[in-house]
Every structure is written in structure tokens, then in C-alpha cells.
Amino acid sequence: MNSVRGARGVQLEDVCAAADAVLERGERPTIERIRLQLGRGSPNTVGPMLDSWYATLGKRLNPIGGAGSSGAEQAFEGSPDQLPPQVLRAAKTLWARAEQLAGDRAQTAIAGQKLELMQQATELQAEREQFEAEKQRFAERASALEAAMFAKDQQILQLGRQLEELKHMLQAKTEEAELLRSDLSKQRIAMDAMRQFTQVKDEEHRKERERIEERATAQERRLLSEIDRARQTTKWTEAQLEAQQKQAAKQLLESEERAKALDDKLLSTQEEKAALVKDLLKAKDLLQKLQAEVSPTQVGEAPLRALKLRAKAPAIPRKTRLKR
């Protein structure tokens, strides 16, 4: 027997020696009796070692082996130190009980392992169904997020077109204001020229008045009347230009406010789109994690595990839980 060290220093040799001692007392070696004999060791540690002792007991009782004789009789046939018949019968009885116990335990272990495999297969099927449902939900959510992103993109494009139209309108209003300023400048130049012309005329009228007083007086009145008319016309023109300039400035201010509002709305829409993109990436990452956790290879491993457990059933291995 190979030397196997268990928990808390219990070795296979210690368990075998304790079992031999219990057998020499005429008692059946059990886990509790072995623990009492050793004074230490847990049932989980002593149990497998006791099974190994039972597995080697037949070879120890029947080292030669021969047809037509029992193991205990053949073990000591022709030996000078042959055991008494009582000891031989006790050994044969213990051997038969050990074989029966080992067979019962093996059947119980196989039945338990079959039940555990069936439960594990049921749990695996339930997990697969739950995974498929979650996969479907995440796919629907991803589709909804993509549709929302598409709608937001369309809204952003529409807002961009509106912004471009407002920019064109603002540029047109700006050009119109520039034309108004240019017309106002031209009218001011014309007014300056008219003033200069009036001054020249006044000078000519003054000289003419000196020459002909009566004619100068009449002509002066006429010129004064023309100047008044010219001044009234100038005032009216300036008032019209000022009103047009104020209206153009007001329209320019309104266009700038609308452009600012659209810029704010465009920024808010872009932030919403970024949030939707982030949610979509999270949903895709979670879907990939779920697919990695439950893969088709895990489902195919169940029959292989069942075969391995059946092969190890007579040794009564420890139960293991299915990894999820």
C-alpha cells in the first residue's frame, strides 16, 4: 500500500494498523472504531482509507490463490504457523461481510451519483433556458437602443439642417444690413454735397443781392424755401434709414438668439446620444459575458462526467458540484 497522508497527519499505514488491531480483537473494523483506536482523524479522512484496507484484505488473506479452496485456507495451507479454525472462520466471515458492505456502499454511491447527475442535468437545462431568455431580452433591448440612436441621429441631422438654414438667413440679413449701411453712407454723402451746393448758392445769392436788391430778396426767399424742403427731405430720409437700421438690428438679434437656442438643443441631443451609446455598449458587454459563462462545451461535458463518475463509483469518490 502506498503511503498516503490525510488531514491532521493521519496516514494510510496508521488506519491499516488500527484496522488490524480491531480485527484481532474479533470486532469488525468501522470508521468510529478506527477513530477510537487512533484517537484522531475525521470520518471523511478515515472512510476512504478504510475502504482501501478492505480492498487489500483479500490479497493479504489469499496471497497464493488456488482453485477449490477459500482465501483464508489457502493463505495458511502448508504453513507451520497455521491459524486455528476459529480465527480462520472469523476471517472468512469478516471478509464476506466486508465484500457485502463494499458492494452495498458501491451501489448506494452509484445511485447517489446517478441522482446527482440527473439533478445537475436538470439545473443545467434550467440555466440554459434562463440564459436564452436573458439573451432574448438583451437582444430586444439592444434593438430598442439602436432604434433610439437612429431616431436621435435623424433628429440631429434635422436640427443641423435647421441650423444651416438659420445661418444662411443670418448671413442674408447681415448682407442686407451692410447694404442699408452703404445706402445710408451714400445718402449722407449726397446730403454733404447738397449742403456744399447750398452754401455755393447762398454765396451767389449774397453777391447777386448786393447787385440787385429786389431780385436778391425774392431769389433768397425762393432758395430758403428750397432749403427748407431739402432739410425736411433729409430729416425724413434719416428717419427712414434709422428705422430700417433698427429693424435690421432687431432681426439680426432674433436670428442670433434662435441660432444659440438651436446650438443648445444640438448639444443636449448629442449628450443624449452619448448616453444611449454607453447603455448599448454595457448591454453588449453583459451579453458577451453571459455567452462566455454558459458555453456549449459545458453542456457537452455532462455525459463525460457521468462516465467518469460511474468508473470511479466502486472507490466511493467524494461528491463534486457542477460548476456554473
Side-chain angles (χ1 to χ4, degrees):
M1 290 180 290
N2 295 329
S3 176
V4 179
R5 181 174 295 274
R8 301 181 180 178
V10 177
Q11 297 182 359
L12 181 59
E13 291 84 349
D14 298 333
V15 175
C16 292
D20 292 339
V22 173
L23 183 62
E24 289 176 0
R25 293 200 301 266
E27 298 177 354
R28 183 172 63 87
T30 61
I31 295 176
E32 293 300 327
R33 289 172 181 172
I34 296 300
R35 292 181 63 200
L36 290 175
Q37 181 69 23
L38 292 174
R40 66 184 187 279
S42 64
N44 294 332
T45 303
V46 175
M49 294 182 180
L50 182 59
D51 294 337
S52 300
W53 179 82
Y54 273 114
T56 59
L57 182 60
K59 294 180 180 179
R60 293 169 60 192
L61 294 177
N62 188 16
I64 300 175
S69 62
S70 63
E73 292 175 350
Q74 292 177 359
F76 299 98
E77 184 178 0
S79 174
D81 299 330
Q82 185 176 5
L83 293 175
Q86 294 84 359
V87 175
L88 184 59
R89 285 194 298 270
K92 290 169 64 178
T93 302
L94 288 175
W95 173 250
R97 293 182 64 183
E99 287 183 341
Q100 183 180 1
L101 179 61
D104 294 340
R105 295 185 65 180
Q107 293 295 329
T108 304
I110 291 173
Q113 290 171 358
K114 288 181 178 179
L115 180 60
E116 183 179 1
L117 286 175
M118 292 176 64
Q119 292 176 353
Q120 290 176 355
T122 303
E123 293 177 358
L124 182 60
Q125 182 65 26
E127 289 178 357
R128 288 186 61 186
E129 292 176 357
Q130 183 180 2
F131 170 74
E132 291 296 333
E134 292 180 356
K135 181 179 178 181
Q136 182 65 26
R137 287 197 297 271
F138 279 109
E140 292 176 356
R141 185 178 178 185
S143 299
L145 289 175
E146 290 179 356
M149 287 181 59
F150 179 77
K152 288 296 181 181
D153 290 337
Q154 296 297 322
Q155 186 177 2
I156 290 173
L157 291 175
Q158 185 177 2
L159 290 175
R161 288 193 293 268
Q162 292 180 0
L163 182 61
E164 290 296 329
E165 291 177 359
L166 287 175
K167 286 182 179 179
H168 290 311
M169 291 175 61
L170 180 61
Q171 185 177 1
K173 293 295 182 182
T174 304
E175 294 176 354
E176 185 178 354
E178 291 294 332
L179 291 175
L180 291 174
R181 293 191 185 96
S182 178
D183 292 340
L184 181 60
S185 177
K186 291 179 180 180
Q187 291 179 5
R188 287 178 178 175
I189 293 173
M191 289 173 62
D192 292 338
M194 187 178 292
R195 291 191 185 96
Q196 294 177 1
F197 177 75
T198 304
Q199 291 176 359
V200 172
K201 288 295 183 182
D202 289 341
E203 183 66 23
E204 291 178 355
H205 291 161
R206 186 183 62 80
K207 292 179 180 179
E208 186 68 21
R209 187 175 57 251
E210 291 178 353
R211 292 192 300 268
I212 306 170
E213 186 175 0
E214 292 180 358
R215 185 179 176 183
T217 302
Q219 189 175 3
E220 184 178 2
R221 291 176 180 175
R222 183 177 59 83
L223 288 174
L224 289 173
S225 178
E226 291 179 357
I227 290 171
D228 290 335
R229 285 195 301 270
R231 287 177 179 176
Q232 293 296 330
T233 303
T234 302
K235 289 181 180 180
W236 180 83
T237 303
E238 288 179 350
Q240 290 293 325
L241 290 175
E242 186 177 359
Q244 291 178 359
Q245 187 176 8
K246 288 181 179 181
Q247 185 177 2
K250 183 178 179 181
Q251 292 178 353
L252 181 62
L253 181 60
E254 290 177 354
S255 299
E256 290 176 351
E257 289 176 355
R258 289 181 63 186
K260 183 178 179 182
L262 286 175
D263 287 336
D264 295 339
K265 189 173 181 180
L266 180 61
L267 179 60
S268 176
T269 305
Q270 290 176 350
E271 292 176 353
E272 291 178 1
K273 178 183 177 182
L276 289 173
V277 171
K278 186 176 180 181
D279 292 340
L280 180 59
L281 291 177
K282 287 183 178 179
K284 288 183 177 179
D285 291 340
L286 185 56
L287 181 59
Q288 291 177 359
K289 289 180 180 179
L290 289 173
Q291 290 177 347
E293 289 177 358
V294 182
S295 60
T297 56
Q298 288 181 314
V299 179
E301 290 178 357
L304 183 59
R305 287 188 176 184
L307 293 176
K308 291 183 178 179
L309 289 174
R310 293 192 186 96
K312 296 181 180 179
I316 311 178
R318 297 180 183 178
K319 296 182 179 180
T320 57
R321 297 186 63 186
L322 182 63
K323 294 183 180 180
R324 296 183 180 178

